[in-house]
Amino acid sequence: MSGIRTIVTGVGAYLPERIVTNAEMAKLVDTSDEWIVERTGISQRHIAADGEYTSDLAMAAGKRAMADAGMDASDIDMVIVATATPDETFPATAVKVQAGLGITQGAAFDIQAVCSGFVYGFSVADNLIRGGMSKNVLLIGAETFSRILDWEDRTTCVLFGDGAGAVVLRGEQGAGDRGIIASKLRSDGTKHDLLYVDGGPSMTQTTGKLRMRGKDVFKHAVKNLADIVEEVFEGTDLSPSDIDWIVPHQANRRILDATARKLGISPDKVVVTVQDHGNTSAASVPLALERAVRDGRIKRGDLVLLEAMGGGFTWGASLVRW
Ligand code: ACO
């Protein structure tokens, strides 16, 4: 490919106004703040308002990322929305976002890789940019998981929340060692039954509800994430000890800790925001990324690792020099 490198040039985030604490969850199902915090690290989640859709969350985060990049609608030539909770079966939420943000050129499409969607999108955007098809990609992870939860199932409803995070990715010549260094994507469709939604347009003509075998997902998550982090370094002259910041999918504090331990990486290098918004699926990596950039932890020159795993199973990692 060309000498173009893909740079992250803007970040943005949006969480719906309404916060639901663990104490409020305990009024809905037989659970407690103590149980949720101990098993997951989650203290609260944000829930979208009636009439507030995934595209609304995506636009709010996308607008902030564009402002952060100093770009307007005329600069963006590709919109990618990673989501498992689109507004409608079709058209893609990304097309709605494109129109809503006043972007009239280029193209827009959704990526469906559940919790790994943003990391999948990161890799796809990098290839579109380095291949010469796109110059400035607006990549958004946005979800309204509250709409596909079984609110009577305490084993799942306490874990998830709504939100959106976004980045603007720009192609640059002569960027030196800055930008995306490597990405690795994986999937394994044989694990469908461990985490899925029991509905859809073709099978049931309904949206369905999320179903999960949490203990099994946990085990696979730690192994797959540790493996993919090792794999993303293959072919580079770097190793996990060079990482300044890991920005993982925010599913469960215990998964983050166990993965860092398995890789021999200090927990101080792991960005954790799950306590504030629960598992927001494809939105969680950019939400955590935005937090760490905004508060000054991630600085120019840092080696940042993004990683995620989700339903499918799908999983992936990207290595980027900030
Ligand atoms: N409140 C109180 N008790 C509960 C709750 C709850 N919300 N949920 C389950 N329990 C009970 C169970 O019924 C069980 O009771 P029992 O012993 O009387 O049968 C007990 O707690 C233990 O249940 P386990 O399922 O064994 O609990 P575990 O320690 O495995 O924790 C959890 C469950 C938090 C779901 C964990 O397995 C997990 O985090 N798994 C990963 C799932 C995940 O993060 N998925 C996200 C999507 S994939 C991804 O993002 C990586």
Side-chain angles (χ1 to χ4, degrees), residues 6-30:
T6 303
I7 309 295
V8 182
T9 185
V11 293
Y14 174 79
L15 288 164
E17 207 176 304
R18 183 167 165 234
I19 291 173
V20 177
T21 62
N22 289 347
E24 286 172 74
M25 292 303 298
K27 290 181 192 152
L28 293 176
V29 287
D30 182 13

Side-chain angles (χ1 to χ4, degrees), residues 29-32 35-36 39-40 115 154-155 158-160 195 212 214-215 217-218 221 249 251-252 254-255 279 309-311:
V29 287
D30 182 13
T31 191
S32 64
W35 192 95
I36 301 172
R39 303 286 176 129
T40 71
C115 302
R154 67 174 182 174
T155 69
V158 301
L159 303 175
F160 296 90
L195 178 56
M212 178 173 72
K215 242 188 200 351
V217 173
F218 191 103
H249 168 46
N252 180 320
R254 282 159 58 222
I255 294 179
N279 184 344
M309 185 187 126

Side-chain angles (χ1 to χ4, degrees), residues 249-272:
H249 168 46
Q250 309 287 316
N252 180 320
R253 172 97 216 200
R254 282 159 58 222
I255 294 179
L256 307 189
D257 291 344
T259 309
R261 217 177 305 123
K262 204 159 190 271
L263 289 164
I265 291 168
S266 162
D268 298 345
K269 294 184 169 185
V270 182
V271 178
V272 183

Side-chain angles (χ1 to χ4, degrees), residues 38-315:
E38 190 195 312
R39 303 286 176 129
T40 71
I42 297 165
S43 296
Q44 60 177 42
R45 67 284 299 140
H46 292 247
I47 303 292
D50 289 344
E52 190 177 36
Y53 305 130
T54 295
S55 60
D56 298 310
L57 277 50
M59 280 188 273
K63 231 183 244 175
R64 289 173 186 176
M66 284 162 63
D68 190 43
M71 290 189 189
D72 61 29
S74 65
D75 297 310
I76 303 295
D77 56 6
M78 186 66 74
V79 180
I80 305 175
V81 175
T83 188
T85 45
D87 288 13
E88 299 163 291
T89 301
F90 81 78
T93 300
V95 179
K96 220 167 154 181
V97 169
Q98 181 195 31
L101 294 177
I103 300 166
T104 51
Q105 66 284 340
F109 63 96
D110 286 358
I111 283 189
Q112 155 60 296
V114 204
C115 302
S116 315
F118 184 83
V119 172
Y120 267 56
F122 209 71
S123 167
V124 169
D126 179 36
N127 280 285
L128 289 172
I129 288 171
R130 286 188 300 116
M133 182 176 275
S134 307
K135 281 196 176 67
N136 298 315
V137 179
L138 176 61
L139 169 64
I140 306 170
E143 303 277 16
T144 47
F145 257 51
S146 64
R147 310 260 156 85
I148 56 164
L149 294 176
D150 176 349
W151 285 95
E152 292 179 356
D153 175 10
R154 67 174 182 174
T155 69
T156 53
C157 73
V158 301
L159 303 175
F160 296 90
D162 302 336
V167 294
V168 176
L169 297 163
R170 186 181 74 214
E172 211 170 280
Q173 286 278 5
D177 68 350
R178 232 189 128 192
I180 299 176
I181 296 164
S183 296
K184 199 98 194 169
L185 303 180
R186 289 293 318 276
S187 65
D188 175 2
T190 67
K191 304 292 185 298
H192 169 278
D193 292 357
L194 303 188
L195 178 56
Y196 64 101
V197 168
D198 63 2
S202 182
M203 277 173 63
T204 60
Q205 300 82 58
T206 62
T207 306
K209 301 285 181 219
L210 184 146
R211 307 291 172 206
M212 178 173 72
R213 286 183 7 214
K215 242 188 200 351
D216 294 318
V217 173
F218 191 103
K219 273 186 252 159
H220 284 286
V222 175
K223 186 186 178 320
N224 289 345
L225 290 171
D227 287 352
I228 200 94
V229 170
E230 305 263 351
E231 283 169 33
V232 79
F233 281 95
E234 284 166 13
T236 75
D237 53 3
L238 299 161
S239 73
S241 63
D242 294 312
I243 295 172
D244 293 299
W245 294 106
I246 297 191
V247 184
H249 168 46
Q250 309 287 316
N252 180 320
R253 172 97 216 200
R254 282 159 58 222
I255 294 179
L256 307 189
D257 291 344
T259 309
R261 217 177 305 123
K262 204 159 190 271
L263 289 164
I265 291 168
S266 162
D268 298 345
K269 294 184 169 185
V270 182
V271 178
V272 183
T273 56
V274 70
Q275 66 280 1
D276 295 334
H277 52 64
N279 184 344
T280 57
S281 184
S284 91
V285 169
L287 279 170
L289 186 64
E290 192 270 350
R291 175 87 61 88
V293 170
R294 194 71 63 219
D295 68 20
R297 272 179 289 175
I298 294 179
K299 291 183 289 296
R300 178 71 67 89
D302 282 352
L303 186 65
V304 179
L305 179 99
L306 313 182
E307 45 102 321
M309 185 187 126
F313 287 156
T314 55
W315 65 105

